[in-house]
Amino acid sequence: MSPAPRELDFRFPPEWALHDATWMSFPRPDGQSFPGRYDRVLPNLTNVIRTIARFETVRINVPDRTWAQKVRDLVGSVDVETIEIPTNEPWCRDHGPAFVVDDEGELAVANWRYNAWGGKYPPWEDDDAVPKRIAEHLGLRLFEPGIVMEGGAVDFDGRGSILTTRDCLLNPNRNGNLNIYDVEGYLLDFYGQERVHWLTGGIAGDDTDGHVDDLARFIDPNTIVVGVEDNPSDVNHAATTSAYEQCRQLGYDVVQLPMPGPVEIEGERMPATYVNFSFVNGGLVVPTYGHDNDDRCLAILRERLPGREVVGVDCSELIWGLGAVHCLTQQQPRPESWKEQA
């Protein structure tokens, strides 16, 4: 077998390291992500793109030149590049490339397999091929773990630790032939890390079986923020308070963020949470939902990240796809300065 990234001193940088760009995949009306509400979602989506493009280049996968022009018409004169790579759905955090970097500044891609969160939404063949196609487009070395993984299932402290959930990564619909020790070995080897912190739980409406990017996130090497629902009668109260207590046992500074309360569309509970934010160069882009807690959450994050512009973007329609800002995006680190905070 070829050496894994860890053996060659490649590692996955934390999201607050400097970026060359943010990657996204543009949805089509015939996709499964926004049934019956595609046109209502587009304003939210284009605002996310425009907001990120204020801070750094946005590279968007599109199926062809016609769609490339449509995207440019929608987003206007912002820093966006379109790349003709077809996708099934827009959730680039999960199907996009995991960029790893070594101390010499070489950028490479870990090509995790993708099966639409345990085979829930076929077809997914185009999504599964995205990391390889981006690596070819950029001329990068490709590492092949050979197992299913999604970017929203993991978070990183920049000091060798991975935060994830048992509910997702140990679900038999991903890699049913692997046990916890096998999965942990793959994570460490192909992300170039030293340890894994396992949480349990997930929020209501999350179809990913408990992605950590809806539950708890690092905002610096020492701090985890957890969305905590303080209403005891809400379905998210038990899982989020449990996640907060679990994180406190890990030795980090743990900060509570509020939850936006029940967000429902067409009678369905959506996985609305503020921790599905995305780091950009000099900023943090945070989903909001038109709730009283929007401003409270942004204020907490601004206090904790004083050198960073914290921007809220409305995701009250976008959440119909069961994802928000982090789910849509995948950062490409700047190789020569990946150790620097953006």
Coordinates of all heavy atoms in Angstrom, one line a residue, residues 132-202:
K132 N -11.4 13.7 -6.8 CA -10.5 13.3 -7.8 C -10.4 14.3 -9.0 O -9.4 14.7 -9.4 CB -10.8 11.9 -8.4 CG -9.8 11.4 -9.4 CD -10.2 10.0 -9.9 CE -9.1 9.5 -10.9 NZ -9.5 8.1 -11.4
R133 N -11.6 14.8 -9.4 CA -11.7 15.8 -10.5 C -11.0 17.1 -10.1 O -10.4 17.8 -10.9 CB -13.1 15.9 -10.9 CG -13.6 14.7 -11.7 CD -15.1 14.8 -11.9 NE -15.5 13.7 -12.8 CZ -16.8 13.2 -12.9 NH1 -17.8 13.8 -12.3 NH2 -17.0 12.2 -13.7
I134 N -11.2 17.5 -8.8 CA -10.6 18.8 -8.4 C -9.1 18.6 -8.3 O -8.3 19.5 -8.7 CB -11.2 19.2 -7.0 CG1 -12.6 19.7 -7.3 CG2 -10.4 20.3 -6.4 CD1 -13.4 20.2 -6.0
A135 N -8.6 17.4 -7.8 CA -7.2 17.2 -7.7 C -6.6 17.2 -9.1 O -5.5 17.8 -9.3 CB -6.9 15.8 -7.1
E136 N -7.3 16.6 -10.1 CA -6.8 16.7 -11.5 C -6.8 18.1 -12.0 O -5.8 18.5 -12.7 CB -7.7 15.8 -12.4 CG -7.5 14.3 -12.1 CD -8.5 13.4 -12.8 OE1 -9.5 14.0 -13.3 OE2 -8.4 12.2 -12.8
H137 N -7.8 18.9 -11.7 CA -7.9 20.3 -12.1 C -6.8 21.1 -11.6 O -6.2 21.9 -12.3 CB -9.3 20.8 -11.7 CG -9.4 22.3 -12.0 ND1 -9.7 22.8 -13.2 CD2 -9.3 23.4 -11.1 CE1 -9.8 24.1 -13.2 NE2 -9.5 24.5 -11.9
L138 N -6.4 20.8 -10.3 CA -5.3 21.6 -9.7 C -3.9 21.0 -9.8 O -2.9 21.5 -9.4 CB -5.7 21.8 -8.2 CG -6.9 22.6 -7.9 CD1 -7.2 22.5 -6.4 CD2 -6.8 24.0 -8.3
G139 N -3.9 19.7 -10.4 CA -2.6 19.1 -10.5 C -2.0 18.6 -9.2 O -0.8 18.7 -9.0
L140 N -2.8 18.0 -8.3 CA -2.4 17.7 -7.0 C -2.3 16.2 -6.8 O -3.0 15.4 -7.5 CB -3.4 18.2 -5.9 CG -3.6 19.7 -5.9 CD1 -4.6 20.1 -4.8 CD2 -2.3 20.5 -5.8
R141 N -1.4 15.8 -5.9 CA -1.3 14.4 -5.5 C -2.6 13.9 -4.8 O -3.3 14.7 -4.1 CB -0.1 14.2 -4.5 CG 0.1 12.7 -4.1 CD 1.0 12.6 -2.9 NE 2.2 13.4 -3.0 CZ 3.4 13.0 -2.4 NH1 3.4 11.8 -1.7 NH2 4.4 13.7 -2.4
L142 N -3.0 12.7 -5.1 CA -4.2 12.1 -4.5 C -4.0 10.9 -3.6 O -3.3 10.0 -4.0 CB -5.1 11.7 -5.7 CG -6.6 11.4 -5.4 CD1 -7.3 12.7 -5.1 CD2 -7.3 10.8 -6.6
F143 N -4.5 11.0 -2.4 CA -4.4 9.9 -1.5 C -5.8 9.2 -1.4 O -6.8 9.9 -1.4 CB -4.1 10.4 0.0 CG -2.7 10.9 0.1 CD1 -2.5 12.3 0.2 CD2 -1.6 10.1 0.1 CE1 -1.2 12.8 0.3 CE2 -0.3 10.6 0.3 CZ -0.1 11.9 0.3
E144 N -5.8 7.9 -1.4 CA -7.0 7.1 -1.5 C -7.3 6.3 -0.2 O -6.8 5.1 -0.1 CB -7.0 6.2 -2.7 CG -6.8 6.9 -4.0 CD -8.1 7.4 -4.6 OE1 -9.1 7.3 -3.9 OE2 -8.0 7.9 -5.8
P145 N -8.0 6.8 0.8 CA -8.4 6.0 2.0 C -9.2 4.8 1.7 O -9.0 3.7 2.3 CB -9.1 7.0 2.9 CG -8.8 8.3 2.3 CD -8.6 8.2 0.9
G146 N -10.1 4.9 0.7 CA -11.0 3.8 0.3 C -12.2 3.5 1.2 O -12.8 2.5 1.0
I147 N -12.4 4.4 2.1 CA -13.6 4.3 3.0 C -14.5 5.5 2.9 O -14.0 6.6 2.5 CB -13.3 4.0 4.5 CG1 -12.7 5.2 5.1 CG2 -12.3 2.8 4.5 CD1 -12.7 5.1 6.7
V148 N -15.7 5.4 3.4 CA -16.7 6.5 3.3 C -16.4 7.5 4.5 O -16.2 7.1 5.6 CB -18.1 6.0 3.4 CG1 -19.1 7.2 3.5 CG2 -18.4 5.2 2.1
M149 N -16.4 8.8 4.1 CA -16.2 9.8 5.1 C -16.9 11.1 4.6 O -16.9 11.3 3.4 CB -14.7 10.1 5.4 CG -14.2 9.8 6.8 SD -15.0 10.8 8.0 CE -14.6 12.5 7.5
E150 N -17.3 12.0 5.5 CA -17.9 13.3 5.1 C -17.3 14.4 5.9 O -17.0 14.2 7.1 CB -19.4 13.3 5.3 CG -20.2 12.2 4.5 CD -21.0 11.3 5.4 OE1 -21.4 11.7 6.5 OE2 -21.2 10.1 5.0
G151 N -17.0 15.5 5.2 CA -16.3 16.6 5.9 C -17.1 17.2 7.0 O -16.5 17.7 8.0
G152 N -18.4 17.1 7.0 CA -19.2 17.6 8.1 C -19.2 16.8 9.3 O -19.7 17.2 10.4
A153 N -18.6 15.6 9.2 CA -18.6 14.6 10.3 C -17.4 14.9 11.2 O -17.3 14.3 12.3 CB -18.5 13.2 9.8
V154 N -16.5 15.8 10.9 CA -15.2 16.0 11.6 C -14.9 17.5 11.8 O -15.3 18.3 10.9 CB -14.0 15.3 10.9 CG1 -14.1 13.8 11.1 CG2 -13.9 15.6 9.4
D155 N -14.2 17.8 12.9 CA -13.8 19.1 13.1 C -12.4 19.0 13.8 O -12.1 18.0 14.4 CB -14.7 19.9 14.0 CG -14.7 21.4 13.7 OD1 -14.8 21.8 12.5 OD2 -14.4 22.2 14.6
F156 N -11.6 20.1 13.6 CA -10.1 20.0 14.0 C -9.7 21.2 14.8 O -10.1 22.3 14.6 CB -9.3 20.0 12.7 CG -9.6 18.9 11.8 CD1 -10.7 19.0 10.9 CD2 -8.9 17.7 11.8 CE1 -11.1 17.9 10.1 CE2 -9.2 16.6 10.9 CZ -10.3 16.8 10.1
D157 N -8.8 20.9 15.8 CA -8.4 22.0 16.7 C -7.1 22.6 16.3 O -6.6 23.5 16.9 CB -8.3 21.5 18.2 CG -7.1 20.5 18.4 OD1 -6.5 20.1 17.5 OD2 -6.9 20.2 19.6
G158 N -6.4 22.0 15.2 CA -5.2 22.6 14.7 C -4.0 22.1 15.5 O -2.8 22.5 15.2
R159 N -4.2 21.3 16.5 CA -3.1 20.8 17.4 C -3.1 19.2 17.4 O -2.7 18.6 18.3 CB -3.2 21.3 18.8 CG -2.9 22.8 18.9 CD -2.9 23.3 20.3 NE -2.5 24.7 20.4 CZ -2.6 25.4 21.5 NH1 -3.0 24.8 22.6 NH2 -2.2 26.7 21.5
G160 N -3.7 18.6 16.4 CA -3.7 17.2 16.3 C -4.9 16.5 16.7 O -4.9 15.2 16.7
S161 N -6.0 17.2 17.1 CA -7.2 16.5 17.6 C -8.3 16.6 16.6 O -8.5 17.7 16.0 CB -7.6 17.1 18.9 OG -6.7 16.8 19.9
I162 N -9.1 15.6 16.4 CA -10.3 15.5 15.6 C -11.5 15.4 16.6 O -11.5 14.6 17.5 CB -10.3 14.3 14.7 CG1 -9.1 14.4 13.7 CG2 -11.6 14.2 13.8 CD1 -8.9 13.1 12.9
L163 N -12.6 16.1 16.3 CA -13.8 16.0 17.0 C -14.9 15.4 16.1 O -15.0 15.9 15.0 CB -14.3 17.4 17.5 CG -15.5 17.5 18.5 CD1 -15.1 16.9 19.8 CD2 -15.9 18.9 18.6
T164 N -15.5 14.4 16.5 CA -16.5 13.7 15.7 C -17.6 13.0 16.5 O -17.5 13.1 17.8 CB -15.8 12.7 14.7 OG1 -16.8 12.2 13.8 CG2 -15.2 11.5 15.5
T165 N -18.5 12.3 15.9 CA -19.6 11.6 16.7 C -19.6 10.1 16.3 O -19.4 9.8 15.2 CB -21.0 12.2 16.4 OG1 -21.4 11.9 15.1 CG2 -21.0 13.7 16.6
R166 N -19.9 9.3 17.3 CA -20.1 7.9 17.1 C -21.3 7.7 16.2 O -21.3 6.7 15.4 CB -20.3 7.2 18.4 CG -19.1 7.2 19.3 CD -19.4 6.7 20.7 NE -18.2 6.8 21.6 CZ -17.4 5.7 21.8 NH1 -17.6 4.6 21.2 NH2 -16.3 5.9 22.6
D167 N -22.4 8.5 16.4 CA -23.6 8.3 15.7 C -23.4 8.3 14.2 O -24.1 7.5 13.5 CB -24.6 9.4 16.1 CG -24.8 9.5 17.6 OD1 -23.9 9.8 18.3 OD2 -25.9 9.2 18.1
C168 N -22.6 9.1 13.7 CA -22.3 9.2 12.3 C -21.3 8.2 11.8 O -21.6 7.3 11.0 CB -21.9 10.6 11.9 SG -21.5 10.8 10.1
L169 N -20.1 8.3 12.3 CA -18.9 7.5 11.7 C -19.0 6.1 12.1 O -18.4 5.3 11.4 CB -17.6 8.2 12.2 CG -17.3 9.5 11.5 CD1 -15.8 9.8 11.8 CD2 -17.5 9.5 10.0
L170 N -19.7 5.7 13.1 CA -19.8 4.3 13.4 C -21.1 3.7 13.0 O -21.4 2.5 13.3 CB -19.6 4.0 14.9 CG -18.3 4.5 15.5 CD1 -18.2 4.1 17.0 CD2 -17.1 4.0 14.7
N171 N -21.9 4.4 12.2 CA -23.1 3.9 11.7 C -22.8 2.9 10.6 O -22.0 3.1 9.7 CB -24.0 5.1 11.0 CG -25.4 4.7 10.7 OD1 -25.6 3.7 10.1 ND2 -26.3 5.5 11.2
P172 N -23.4 1.7 10.6 CA -23.1 0.7 9.6 C -23.4 1.0 8.2 O -23.0 0.4 7.3 CB -23.9 -0.5 10.1 CG -25.0 0.0 11.0 CD -24.4 1.2 11.6
N173 N -24.2 2.1 8.0 CA -24.5 2.5 6.6 C -23.3 3.2 5.9 O -23.4 3.5 4.7 CB -25.8 3.4 6.5 CG -25.7 4.7 7.3 OD1 -24.6 5.1 7.7 ND2 -26.8 5.4 7.5
R174 N -22.3 3.5 6.7 CA -21.0 4.1 6.1 C -20.0 2.9 5.8 O -19.8 2.6 4.6 CB -20.4 5.1 7.0 CG -20.7 6.5 6.8 CD -22.2 6.9 6.8 NE -22.4 8.3 6.9 CZ -23.5 8.8 7.4 NH1 -24.5 8.0 7.9 NH2 -23.7 10.1 7.5
N175 N -19.5 2.4 6.8 CA -18.4 1.4 6.7 C -18.7 0.3 7.6 O -18.1 0.1 8.7 CB -17.0 2.0 6.9 CG -16.7 3.2 6.0 OD1 -16.5 3.0 4.9 ND2 -16.8 4.4 6.6
G176 N -19.7 -0.5 7.3 CA -20.2 -1.5 8.3 C -19.2 -2.6 8.6 O -19.4 -3.3 9.7
N177 N -18.2 -2.7 7.9 CA -17.2 -3.8 8.2 C -16.1 -3.3 9.1 O -15.1 -4.0 9.4 CB -16.5 -4.3 6.9 CG -15.8 -3.1 6.1 OD1 -16.3 -2.0 6.0 ND2 -14.7 -3.4 5.5
L178 N -16.1 -2.0 9.5 CA -15.1 -1.4 10.3 C -15.5 -1.2 11.8 O -16.7 -0.8 12.0 CB -14.6 -0.1 9.7 CG -14.1 -0.1 8.3 CD1 -13.6 1.3 7.9 CD2 -12.9 -1.1 8.2
N179 N -14.7 -1.4 12.7 CA -15.0 -1.0 14.1 C -14.4 0.3 14.5 O -13.7 1.0 13.6 CB -14.5 -2.1 15.1 CG -13.0 -2.3 15.0 OD1 -12.2 -1.4 14.9 ND2 -12.5 -3.6 15.2
I180 N -14.6 0.8 15.7 CA -14.1 2.1 16.1 C -12.6 2.3 16.0 O -12.1 3.4 15.6 CB -14.6 2.4 17.6 CG1 -14.3 3.9 17.9 CG2 -14.0 1.5 18.6 CD1 -14.9 4.4 19.2
Y181 N -11.9 1.2 16.2 CA -10.4 1.3 16.1 C -10.0 1.5 14.7 O -9.0 2.2 14.4 CB -9.8 0.1 16.8 CG -10.2 -0.1 18.2 CD1 -11.1 -1.1 18.5 CD2 -9.8 0.8 19.2 CE1 -11.5 -1.2 19.8 CE2 -10.2 0.6 20.5 CZ -11.1 -0.4 20.8 OH -11.5 -0.5 22.1
D182 N -10.7 0.7 13.8 CA -10.4 0.9 12.3 C -10.6 2.3 11.9 O -9.8 2.9 11.2 CB -11.2 -0.1 11.5 CG -11.0 -1.6 11.9 OD1 -9.8 -1.9 12.2 OD2 -11.9 -2.4 11.8
V183 N -11.8 2.8 12.2 CA -12.2 4.1 11.7 C -11.3 5.2 12.3 O -10.8 6.1 11.5 CB -13.7 4.4 12.2 CG1 -14.0 5.9 11.8 CG2 -14.7 3.5 11.5
E184 N -10.9 5.1 13.5 CA -10.0 6.0 14.1 C -8.6 6.0 13.4 O -8.0 7.0 13.2 CB -9.8 5.7 15.6 CG -9.1 6.8 16.4 CD -9.3 6.6 17.9 OE1 -10.5 6.7 18.3 OE2 -8.3 6.5 18.6
G185 N -8.2 4.8 13.1 CA -6.9 4.7 12.4 C -6.9 5.4 11.0 O -6.0 6.1 10.7
Y186 N -8.0 5.2 10.3 CA -8.1 5.9 9.0 C -8.2 7.4 9.2 O -7.5 8.2 8.4 CB -9.4 5.5 8.3 CG -9.3 4.2 7.5 CD1 -9.8 3.0 8.0 CD2 -8.7 4.2 6.2 CE1 -9.7 1.8 7.3 CE2 -8.6 3.0 5.5 CZ -9.1 1.8 6.0 OH -9.0 0.7 5.3
L187 N -8.9 7.9 10.2 CA -9.0 9.4 10.4 C -7.6 9.9 10.7 O -7.2 11.0 10.2 CB -9.9 9.6 11.6 CG -11.4 9.4 11.4 CD1 -12.2 9.6 12.7 CD2 -12.0 10.2 10.3
L188 N -6.9 9.3 11.6 CA -5.5 9.8 12.0 C -4.6 9.7 10.8 O -3.8 10.7 10.6 CB -5.0 9.0 13.2 CG -5.8 9.0 14.5 CD1 -5.2 8.2 15.5 CD2 -6.0 10.5 14.9
D189 N -4.6 8.6 10.1 CA -3.6 8.4 9.0 C -3.9 9.4 7.8 O -3.0 9.9 7.2 CB -3.7 7.0 8.5 CG -3.0 6.0 9.4 OD1 -2.2 6.5 10.3 OD2 -3.2 4.8 9.2
F190 N -5.2 9.6 7.5 CA -5.4 10.4 6.2 C -5.7 11.8 6.5 O -5.7 12.6 5.5 CB -6.6 9.7 5.4 CG -6.1 8.4 4.7 CD1 -6.0 7.2 5.4 CD2 -5.6 8.5 3.4 CE1 -5.6 6.1 4.7 CE2 -5.1 7.4 2.8 CZ -5.1 6.2 3.4
Y191 N -6.0 12.2 7.7 CA -6.0 13.6 8.1 C -4.7 14.1 8.7 O -4.6 15.3 9.0 CB -7.2 13.9 9.0 CG -8.6 14.0 8.3 CD1 -9.6 13.2 8.7 CD2 -8.8 14.9 7.3 CE1 -10.9 13.3 8.1 CE2 -10.1 15.0 6.7 CZ -11.1 14.2 7.1 OH -12.3 14.3 6.5
G192 N -3.8 13.2 9.0 CA -2.6 13.6 9.6 C -2.7 14.1 11.0 O -2.1 15.1 11.3
Q193 N -3.5 13.4 11.9 CA -3.7 13.9 13.2 C -3.3 12.9 14.2 O -2.8 11.8 13.9 CB -5.2 14.2 13.4 CG -5.8 15.1 12.3 CD -5.3 16.6 12.4 OE1 -5.3 17.2 13.5 NE2 -4.8 17.1 11.3
E194 N -3.4 13.2 15.5 CA -2.9 12.4 16.6 C -3.9 11.8 17.5 O -3.6 10.8 18.2 CB -2.0 13.3 17.5 CG -0.8 14.0 16.7 CD 0.1 13.0 16.1 OE1 0.4 11.9 16.6 OE2 0.6 13.3 14.9
R195 N -5.1 12.3 17.6 CA -6.1 11.8 18.5 C -7.5 12.1 18.0 O -7.7 13.1 17.3 CB -5.9 12.3 19.9 CG -6.1 13.8 20.1 CD -5.5 14.3 21.3 NE -4.0 14.3 21.2 CZ -3.3 15.3 20.6 NH1 -3.9 16.3 20.1 NH2 -2.0 15.2 20.6
V196 N -8.5 11.3 18.4 CA -9.9 11.5 18.1 C -10.7 11.7 19.4 O -10.6 10.8 20.3 CB -10.4 10.3 17.3 CG1 -11.9 10.6 16.9 CG2 -9.6 10.1 16.0
H197 N -11.5 12.7 19.4 CA -12.5 12.9 20.5 C -13.8 12.5 20.0 O -14.4 13.1 19.0 CB -12.5 14.3 21.0 CG -11.2 14.8 21.5 ND1 -10.5 14.2 22.5 CD2 -10.5 16.0 21.2 CE1 -9.4 14.9 22.8 NE2 -9.3 15.9 22.0
W198 N -14.5 11.5 20.6 CA -15.8 11.0 20.2 C -16.9 11.6 21.0 O -16.9 11.4 22.3 CB -15.8 9.5 20.3 CG -14.8 8.8 19.4 CD1 -13.6 8.3 19.6 CD2 -15.1 8.4 18.0 NE1 -13.0 7.7 18.6 CE2 -13.9 7.7 17.5 CE3 -16.2 8.5 17.2 CZ2 -13.9 7.2 16.2 CZ3 -16.1 8.0 15.9 CH2 -15.0 7.3 15.4
L199 N -17.9 12.2 20.4 CA -19.1 12.6 21.0 C -20.2 11.7 20.6 O -20.1 10.9 19.7 CB -19.5 14.1 20.6 CG -18.4 15.1 20.8 CD1 -19.0 16.5 20.3 CD2 -18.0 15.2 22.3
T200 N -21.3 11.8 21.3 CA -22.5 11.1 20.9 C -23.6 12.1 20.8 O -23.7 13.2 21.5 CB -23.0 10.0 21.9 OG1 -23.2 10.7 23.2 CG2 -21.9 9.0 22.1
G201 N -24.6 11.9 19.9 CA -25.7 12.8 19.7 C -25.8 13.4 18.3 O -24.9 13.3 17.5
G202 N -26.9 14.1 18.1 CA -27.2 14.9 16.9 C -28.4 15.6 17.1 O -29.2 15.4 18.0

